[in-house]
Each structure stands twice: as C-alpha cells, then as structure tokens.
Amino acid sequence: MSITTENTFETAIEQALVQNGGYTVGDSTTYSQELGFFRDEILAFLQRSQPKKWEKISAIHGKDTENRVLQRLYKELDLRGCLDVLRKGFVDYGVRFQMAFFKPASGLNPDAVEIYNTNSLKVYRQVYYSKRNRNSVDIVLGLNGLPVATLELKNQFTGQNVNHAKNQYKDTRDPKEILFSFKKRTLVHFSVDSDEVYMATKLEGSKTYWLPFNKGNGHGKGNPINENGDYRTSYLWNYILQKDSWLQILQQFIHLQTEEVINDGKVYRIEKMIFPRYHQLDVVRKVTKDTLENGAGKNYLVQHSAGSGKSNSIAWLAYGLTSLHNASNERIFDSVIVVTDRKVLDQQLQNTIYQFEHKQGVVQKIDKDSTQLADAISNGTNIIITTLQKFPYVIDKVGEVPDRKYAVVIDEAHSSQGGEASKKMKEVLGVVDNDATQEAYLESDEDILGQDIVNSCIEKSALSRGRQANISFFAFTATPKYKTLQVFGAKDEEGNPKPFHLYSMRQAIEEGFILDVLKNYTTYELYFKLTKAIEDDPRFNKKKAAKAIGKYVSLHPHNLAQKTEIIIEHFRSIVSKKIGGKAKAMVVCGSRLHAKRYFEEFNKYIKVKGYQNELKVIVAFSGKLKDDNYPEGVLESELNGFRENELPQMFEKEEYKILIVADKYQTGFDQPLLHTMYVDKQLSGVKAVQTLSRLNRMCKGKEDTFVLDFTNDRETIFQSFQPYYEITTVTDETDINHLYDLKARLDDFQVYWQEEIDDFANIYFHPNTNLNNAKNQRYLYSFTDPSVERFKGLEEEKQDEFKKSIRSWTNLYSFLAQIMPFVDADAEKFYAFAKLLQIRLPKRDLSETLQLSDEVALEYYRLEKIKEGSIDLLKGEEGELSGVTEAGLKRTKGEEALLSEIVSVLNERFATEFEDADKLFFDQIEAELMEDEKLQTQAKANKLDTFKYAFEDMFMNKLIGRMDQNQDIFEKILEDKMFGDLVKELMMKKIYRKMNE
C-alpha cells in the first residue's frame, strides 16, 4: 500500500483504535442518511444492554417496536441534542432507555462496572452522509450507534496538511446535513495530519472556529517529535479517543454553555459546545491522578497563561476532585472549596456540573457570611464557592473539623481592585505567627495591591499554619512570583520549585488565544527618535509636519500637559481607528494623585480642542484622595459621575475611550477592546507582566496592540516577561529607514507593478467597497493575479527570499504606522496590497484552495484607513494622495518644505540662531562634562534614568561656572523651562552615549 495516500493514514488510526482503544470496525453502509445514526447498532445496543425494558416497550408497540423507538429517539435528539441524550437517555411511553453507561466513580457496584462494558464504540471509515451528493467523511466515531465525532485526515506526503482538512469542512461539509447539525448529532470535529490536530464543535462554513488541540512543543505551539517513532499526533487516537478516556470526556468534560446577549433591546441565547483543549484535559487528569496516588495534604501550582480557559479548567477540576475515591472506595475529599472573585464562575460551575450530575445542590455559593460558609462545610456540600476575602475563614472553619478532608481550589485571576476589600485583606495579612521567616516575608510586600494582596493573603495563610494533612491547595495563576512557587510549587530534582502544570504565555500567543503585548512596545526615547528619522528628507505637508514634530520635540518626561497632548493626539490619529473604530486605551499612572491630575488635564485639553463628542475619559483609584482642590478628599465616583462598581460596564460604552488608572484595574480586568497602553509608572517583574497583559485579550478585528512607555526601559520589561514567556520578545530598536530599504529590495524582484497596486487601492479603500461582495473580491483577485504568476516564475531560492522580505515589511510597517506623525500614501497602499498578496502566494508543494481567508482583518484595516481619510481613492486625480478630507474631497495642498527646513523653523521659535561663539559655549561645557571622572563612572554603572540625577547636578555646576561667558544663553536656560529642559536632555543623552561607546 502506498504511503502517499490518505488511506494509509486512515488505516493506521483504525488499527490503533481497534487493537488498543476498545473499538470495533463499523459498517459505514449502515448509516441512515434520513435518521442521522446507525439504526442497526442502536437497536442491538438497546436489546443487549436493557433486555427487560425492551420486552416492556415491545409489549406496548408490538410489531412496529423498532421503528417507533427509533422515531422517538430521533425526536429526542432533535429536541435535546446528542450530548443530553447520551447522558440522560430517552423515554418512550414511560420506558426510560439509557444510550450510554459511564464508568462509576467507585467500584462499590460490580453491576455498574459490568454494564459499563456493554458500551459499543465503533470506528466507521468513509461514511457517505448525504442524499444530495456523494461526499464522504474520512472517519466517524460512534457510541452505541450514535455518531459523536468526525475526523478529516490529511497525509502530508500527498502535499496536503491540516489546513486542507479545515478547508474541506468549510467548503464541502454542509452544516445543514444532519450528521453535522450543531449539537444534534456529532459533538466535535477533528482536522488531523501527522503533525497537528485542530477541533471545532460547530460547523459554520467560513465562520467555523477552529481550536488547536495540540500538546505544545517546547512551550510553543504544535507537537513534539514522537519518541516512540509514531506520528506526532498519535496521542489523539492512542490516548484521547481510547475507550475510558473518550467516555470520560463525554461524561465529565463536554458541556453546552449558554450566554444571553442583548442587541437592540432583544435578548438572544447563544449556545456553545465546549470541548476541552488539550492542556485543560491534561491538567485535570494529571492533577487528579497525582491526588489519587498521594491523597489529601499536597499542594499544586497550575501556571496557565491568560487565554488558557481557566474558568473551565477550574470547573472540570472541581468536579473531578469531588469524584475521587481511594482504594477503599472512600472519597478523598469531603468538600471542594473554590476561592474566587470571578462572578461568572459561580453560574458557570452551577450550569456545567448540573449537566454532569443532573441534580441541584452540588454547588453552593457563599454570598452572605462566615456562618453560611461554616454550615456548608459542616454539611459536606460537594462544591463550595466563596470569595477571596473569606479565604481566612475557610482555613479557620476547615480547621475546626479535623476528621474531614478538603480540596481548596484558588483562582487568583480576578481579584478585588482595592477599596474596602483591599483594606480588609491587608488586615488579614497581619494575622501571622511572627517567626523570622514570616517577618521577612511580610517585609518584602509593603506595597502590594490588587492581585498581589490576594497572592500574599493565600501564601501567608498557608505559611502561618504549615501544611495540613487534611487540606490540599490547587492554585491557578498566570504569573507566579517566587514566593508563590515556594508555597505551592513542586520541587524538581535539584530542589527548585516548579509549577505542577504549565501552559505558557508563548504557547497561548502562538496558538492565537492572546496577543503579544511586547510586539509593538515602544519606549518614549525610541518613539521620539522614530518620529524624526525619516529617510532622504522627504516632502510632507509643512503645517502638518511642523505641528507633529514640534509636539514630539517639546515633549518632556515631567510635563503633564505635554504628555496629555501626545497621548490624546496619538489616540485620536491612530488608536481610535483600530478594531473598526472601537479601540480603547489605558493610561497607567504612578500614584492616585497623578491619576486625578491626568484626568483633569485630559478633560481640560479635550474641552479646549473641542473633542467632547469624540471621546470621554474615566479615572480609577482607591479611597478618598486629598489635594489642594479637594481638601476634604474626593472619590473616583465623584469625578466620574457614576458609582465605583459601575466602572467596567460604563467603560464598555462607545463614548468612553480612555481609562486612567492608579493600581486599580492593572490586574484581573478583561476588556478586549483595550488596544493601547500609555505607561507613566515604574514597572518591573510580575507587576509589569500583569499590567501590560491587560491588552492581550482577543476580539474580532483586533490584530495587534501598542504600548508607549514614558518611564521604563526595554531591558527591564524584557527581564520581567522572560520567566513567563519562554522566548525572546522585545526586539532591537527599529530604524525607520529599514522600511524604505526593504521596500527597494522588494521592488527589485519585479513581482508587482505600481499600476496594479494603484488599481487595487482604488477598489480596496473606496468607502462603498464591501469585501464580502463577490464582485469586489473578484477585482481584488484580478489585481493580485499577475503578481502571483510572476512570483511562480522566480527561482525557488528567490521565492523564499521574497516571501520573507514581504512578511518583514508588512510587520515593520504595521508597527511604524502607529508611531509616524505623517501619512505615507504609497506605503499605505502597498501595505494593503502586500497583506493580501501574502495570503495568495502559493506554499511550496501544496495545492491550496484559492481563498480570502484573512478577509475579516483586511476589512477592519480598510475601515481604519478610510476613517482616517489618508488616501485619495478618486480615480483620475493627479498628484499625491496625502491631502484628503474625511469626506473624501480634495484640499488645496499646503506649502511643502524639506524636513530640515521645518526643523530650522522650530529652532527659530526658541531664538537660537547661534553664532560660532555661542556654539563654543555649549562645546566647552560638553568637553568639561566628558572629562569628569565621577560622571564617567556614573555613566558606565547606571542606566540613563539613574545617570540623569548625577548629570543634572554636574551640568548646573558647569553652567554656573561659565555664566559670565554668555549671560544670554545662561538666563534662557534658567528662565525658559522648556528650552532649558530640552538642552539638558539632548546634552545628557549625547554625553551618556559617548561615554558608553
């Protein structure tokens, strides 16, 4: 048999499932296209496993029993769905039939074990599912005659991969077919090749949402090389789909999640079938297995990144822990206590576990007082949900009942944001035995707030009492500190604490669940540098460029008003166009007072500029703040005009664009529309990770994020993220000239023609263009077709070089476009063209279906640029496309000048037309500073932010020493703060750079 056919791959999977997985081979011709199941197998299962019930129903229906029972089952599947029928069975004329028997939690009932073995798992190959065509699906997995999963396989030796399988589901698997109908029959669909697995629980054509179902490879995406010489993806059929595993997933993991969405005053119910991702299934199974082996009294740390689905992982683990029985068939835990502030988790746990258990009262929420908590613990409630603030009471209460065993699952992802809750938790921190270890522990946490208070509360409570034989802790976190690892981590062979289970930030980013917040991370210095570094002194609108560059030159790190201007103008000109015009930003301040003053300065600037209809700002800080304007103190609610607890909901509204924070909302705050963060606060370590990670949530149309940091250096941020990231993330400083160098290199390939790019742009950027319209898509294809054909004519080595270069160019431009204070129309047009061209370039040895797979992202980008009004799309217009109003009407071009001439005008504004003698004054001060040995030592030993303190004192001494030589300049530096600050800053950076060369 040839190894280069899919048939070989199918056979390998079938053999594995039959030989080791508990399956038998099914006859695919017995599939009923009308009923959507394998009728003969269902009848055989019911008669074999429930003979007395079959006799009873036969007495009722007589000769028509088989058809009547199958029709009843068909209606129940249509009404309730396959999952519910598998778990609860169906009733016909008062006779209840089970459609599956799941493994009991304990082995006390031998009859239950025996009947579990009556389940029939079958693997069906090439099932022809439709009456309308001859399409077949590669593999269908059946349980007692009901189809529960489908697999499309691709053998990479044929030149196809997992993406072709996904496209096959998209293009040729009609969701209206009963086999693929959401929740009514198959519950999950797998796209599989030898390297990767993807899954979907709802087929919706091009809208189908595929999730990776991979183990991870070196803390990144994908799968590792199989050490046993098997396929990388063999874990799917050798482990996941194996009988006990598969039936456990059907019983205890898959569930239907229902959300209510309000749109135009109407309430819509949205249903999602939740199937565990690999790392979720893996953590629950490994933790429960270890707990089964070791019993109560052991701690577990689960480090799962944002985007990992912690809510579901916690729900599955909580349920799994309640089901654990030891060798004597005794429950390992009397109660599982989930400690969280995540409001949605309560209802989610209730709904999820109700689907598993089919009864109420399994989960109890503690929302009153410690007495209610004590009663729940005393009564042995299976799962108890309580808040972080009640954590110390949990420890006290469980300590009162020593003969019981407890699992405490700690979710610290969403913690209280300050105020009274933080105050109470701070009080809790003092209730610790004052031995030397705990005193040192306390001393290191003087400034903890928000999530750190939660961590410390948990850690210190655990430390104060030591490990207790009747309590196990299961702590979930994305960013464990060293102390968290010490308290909850497992020791490796060298004695270092490690998380018991890891789903890294890197893997979450590579798998597309969160965005990389460091990809577009820019310090103020780099921002300032890039705004001026424009190759070849190009021509731009004089008024526009002068205003833009003047703004950046005049910005000083300690001038609140100027920071306000750059933040708001950057937000208006760039950020506000992101995510289809829905993007929001956060300003992170160093103190509550800074936050309040920023809020006042923002509102003042917005009013002066007349931006009131464009954006509103919100401020967040804890407690009452006193200053000169408010001697009695003011609350954030008084400044905002609404209650403190309403802030998250208010920030969701379209008119509120910028949130100014001081400690609050830097952790545990999920707002997917947050795109940009302006940082004016020193950050390092876990605080930096938690804060910047507010931007990483995904949403439709969100392709990237942006950070403008006024305070921190790149190395500090890099070192903060590295322990949680597993890969280098902060790249070297960008040279804007590289953009133009790279474009010139791309031009040399002669793959595209400028005329084609212009024609493309006239369609793509036109306000009336709908990319989902077939006619418009046809145009976009026709304008890129010639480039694709020319690319095919290149040598293989040249093709690789072109693809790498065009990818680099689009990534670089996407970053720089968030910084440049000018509009480069040609670059905008080429970016849109290149993004689509990249999608269309053929992959080597792969025959991909032609598609516009990135149309959502392209549509949002198109809207962004149209709203910005940066490109003239009116065909036939002459000249550059840089002077267009938002209404699309051409303006009279402003007077243009070379950039060097504009900078000269700015210099004239400070009256600094220096003569040679004046320039000598600065040169002599610079020379004296360069020769100072103390300053040299400071420059080599410190970063620029620290060096400036030594420099400013020395600079002032040298300036005073030479005041007699040039009284005019001396007075201007002292009296004109803006001018003096700029002189000091430029000279400081120059000297620091020279001393470190």
Side-chain angles (χ1 to χ4, degrees), residues 27-33 36-38 127-130 147 178-179:
D27 183 356
S28 62
T29 63
T30 62
Y31 176 74
S32 171
Q33 296 163 345
F37 47 65
F38 301 91
V127 176
Y128 292 88
Y129 55 83
S130 178
I178 194 167
L179 181 67

Side-chain angles (χ1 to χ4, degrees), residues 335-339 364 366 373 376-377 381-386:
S335 292
V336 175
I337 303 169
V338 181
V339 185
Q364 182 176 351
I366 305 303
L373 176 62
I377 291 173
T381 303
N382 281 6
I383 298 176
I384 301 167
I385 300 181
T386 186

Side-chain angles (χ1 to χ4, degrees), residues 756-987:
E756 294 158 358
I757 297 172
D758 293 339
D759 290 341
F760 172 92
N762 281 310
I763 294 294
Y764 180 83
F765 284 105
H766 197 284
N768 295 330
T769 297
N770 179 357
L771 281 182
N772 294 318
N773 179 282
K775 179 181 177 182
N776 293 327
Q777 277 199 19
R778 186 175 71 238
Y779 282 131
L780 299 184
Y781 278 114
S782 68
F783 294 140
T784 51
D785 275 337
S787 297
V788 174
E789 292 304 313
R790 294 186 200 109
F791 173 85
K792 291 177 181 177
L794 295 176
E795 296 175 0
E796 193 173 278
E797 187 176 337
K798 291 286 187 182
Q799 288 183 349
D800 290 343
E801 186 181 348
F802 179 84
K803 286 165 75 171
K804 182 179 179 181
S805 296
I806 199 168
R807 184 169 59 249
S808 297
W809 192 94
T810 53
N811 289 339
L812 181 59
Y813 182 76
S814 176
F815 166 62
L816 290 173
Q818 302 186 73
I819 295 175
M820 295 189 296
F822 58 85
V823 173
D824 187 332
D826 287 336
E828 293 281 2
K829 290 192 293 184
F830 183 67
Y831 177 76
F833 179 87
K835 284 278 285 184
L836 182 54
L837 180 59
Q838 281 184 86
I839 297 170
R840 299 209 53 212
L841 292 179
K843 309 293 187 297
R844 190 182 304 164
D845 298 326
L846 299 181
S847 51
E848 289 192 319
T849 305
L850 202 63
Q851 58 174 322
L852 189 61
S853 61
D854 204 19
E855 61 188 21
V856 172
L858 287 170
E859 176 75 10
Y860 271 85
Y861 176 76
R862 188 185 69 85
L863 290 172
E864 173 186 328
K865 293 306 169 187
I866 288 174
K867 193 169 182 181
E868 187 173 305
S870 60
I871 299 179
D872 184 356
L873 304 174
L874 303 177
K875 212 165 186 180
E877 289 286 341
E878 297 180 359
E880 296 183 1
L881 305 176
S882 59
V884 183
T885 65
E886 292 192 10
L889 300 175
K890 194 172 178 109
R891 281 194 199 136
T892 303
K893 286 187 178 180
E895 180 188 356
E896 295 198 340
L898 290 176
L899 183 61
S900 57
E901 295 171 7
I902 298 172
V903 173
S904 296
V905 172
L906 296 173
N907 289 337
E908 289 173 8
R909 198 183 80 190
F910 292 109
T912 54
E913 294 180 328
F914 301 128
E915 297 176 357
D916 290 341
D918 300 317
K919 293 178 182 178
L920 182 62
F921 177 78
F922 290 110
D923 291 341
Q924 290 172 336
I925 291 179
E926 180 184 331
E928 288 184 21
L929 290 168
M930 285 293 299
E931 292 172 1
D932 192 280
E933 292 182 1
K934 183 178 179 182
L935 204 59
Q936 289 174 6
T937 302
Q938 292 288 337
K940 294 183 186 304
N942 295 290
K943 293 181 179 178
L944 184 63
D945 287 348
T946 307
F947 171 74
K948 71 180 179 182
Y949 298 112
F951 172 84
E952 286 179 354
D953 288 339
M954 195 70 68
F955 173 83
M956 191 56 63
N957 291 336
K958 302 298 183 188
L959 185 67
I960 293 171
R962 291 189 172 271
M963 60 180 290
D964 295 332
Q965 293 181 16
N966 198 319
Q967 190 71 29
D968 292 337
I969 293 179
F970 176 81
E971 290 178 357
K972 188 166 184 62
I973 289 174
L974 293 182
E975 294 174 5
D976 188 337
K977 188 176 186 302
M978 186 180 293
F979 176 84
D981 286 344
L982 182 58
V983 169
K984 278 190 291 185
E985 185 177 356
L986 292 175
M987 190 172 288

Side-chain angles (χ1 to χ4, degrees), residues 432-498:
V432 181
D433 294 338
N434 290 319
D435 60 32
T437 301
Q438 289 157 5
E439 283 183 6
Y441 189 94
L442 284 167
E443 289 171 3
S444 64
D445 269 354
E446 293 177 356
D447 61 341
I448 53 175
L449 284 168
Q451 184 172 339
D452 288 334
I453 288 180
V454 176
N455 292 343
S456 296
C457 170
I458 294 166
E459 292 156 7
K460 290 168 190 172
S461 295
L463 272 178
S464 67
R465 294 162 177 82
R467 294 201 173 188
Q468 299 180 58
N470 66 325
I471 304 175
S472 287
F473 288 100
F474 305 84
F476 282 74
T477 178
T479 50
K481 296 196 302 185
Y482 178 73
K483 289 170 291 187
T484 313
L485 283 162
Q486 287 284 25
V487 175
F488 298 110
K491 297 287 175 44
D492 62 14
E493 294 178 356
E494 297 177 357
N496 297 319
K498 302 285 185 183

Side-chain angles (χ1 to χ4, degrees), residues 371-415:
T371 301
Q372 183 191 21
L373 176 62
D375 291 342
I377 291 173
S378 299
N379 295 332
T381 303
N382 281 6
I383 298 176
I384 301 167
I385 300 181
T386 186
T387 61
L388 293 159
Q389 293 90 331
K390 289 187 175 67
F391 177 82
Y393 298 108
V394 173
I395 301 299
D396 292 340
K397 296 300 178 185
V398 298
E400 294 173 3
V401 194
D403 60 333
R404 292 204 180 162
K405 298 183 290 293
Y406 301 94
V408 181
V409 182
I410 303 162
D411 166 29
E412 46 102 289
H414 286 221
S415 61

